[in-house]
Amino acid sequence: MTAKPLNDLLNWRYATKKMDPAKIVPQDKVDAIIEAIRMAPTSSGTQPFELFVVTNPDIRSQIAEADGSHLLVFAAWDNFTDDRIDEVVDLNVQARGDLPMLHAYYDNLKSNYVPRDAETNYAHAARQAYIALGIALVAAAEQEIDSTPM
């Protein structure tokens, strides 16, 4: 199968106004979108947000705009902490091994981010979540899944 050019996928995509909750997005397509989000390029590779995938229809019904089979919620970190950055380091070590300069890089990051006020850090994290949202929308287009940002 020949891959479609990115611009063709983006041309296919549109901000869907009404979803059909009876049409369930296959799990393999949801997984592909989630993996793209995990790989999203964020500042310093921290991925400073949590992703919640809401599939429970009762919970989705409590969210007025959420009428599709899945709702992806991006929750930006409220602040950078030593523990959160150390978790990023641990995940990097698990995935890539303990690379030279990895700890020094993230120690430097902690010395810059942790002392900043929470509002500045939250604003930074929120911008990173928006990057991941954009990647999610592109990944949904690649999977030919209707999507819309809210």
Side-chain angles (χ1 to χ4, degrees):
M1 181 169 106
T2 304
K4 291 183 181 179
L6 178 60
N7 286 341
D8 289 351
L9 296 170
L10 295 176
N11 190 47
W12 173 88
R13 165 190 196 290
Y14 61 97
T16 307
K17 300 301 180 213
K18 183 77 175 151
M19 304 284 185
D20 182 352
K23 292 184 179 177
I24 306 299
V25 176
Q27 191 60 47
D28 63 321
K29 292 184 178 225
V30 173
D31 291 344
I33 295 166
I34 291 170
E35 180 64 8
I37 293 166
R38 187 184 73 76
M39 302 285 291
T42 60
S43 177
S44 305
T46 55
Q47 310 298 94
F49 57 86
E50 303 297 325
L51 177 69
F52 298 93
V53 180
V54 182
T55 57
N56 182 305
D58 295 330
I59 294 172
R60 283 194 334 266
S61 71
Q62 296 174 28
I63 303 170
E65 300 290 327
D67 56 358
S69 68
H70 293 73
L71 172 67
L72 304 183
V73 177
F74 294 78
W77 289 355
D78 59 346
N79 204 353
F80 284 84
T81 65
D82 286 336
D83 288 342
R84 282 181 167 158
I85 294 173
D86 287 344
E87 185 177 341
V88 170
V89 172
D90 293 344
L91 290 170
N92 269 290
V93 169
Q94 287 173 22
R96 296 182 176 96
D98 201 354
L99 301 172
M101 304 297 294
L102 181 72
H103 295 278
Y105 174 79
Y106 282 103
D107 285 344
N108 184 52
L109 191 73
K110 284 192 276 189
S111 71
N112 287 309
Y113 284 17
V114 174
R116 296 189 311 196
D117 65 277
E119 187 175 330
T120 298
N121 280 337
Y122 169 73
H124 175 77
R127 288 189 300 272
Q128 304 315 300
Y130 274 114
I131 293 169
L133 169 62
I135 293 292
L137 293 168
V138 171
E142 191 268 334
Q143 295 295 317
E144 297 186 338
I145 300 298
D146 288 341
S147 62
T148 193
M150 295 191 287

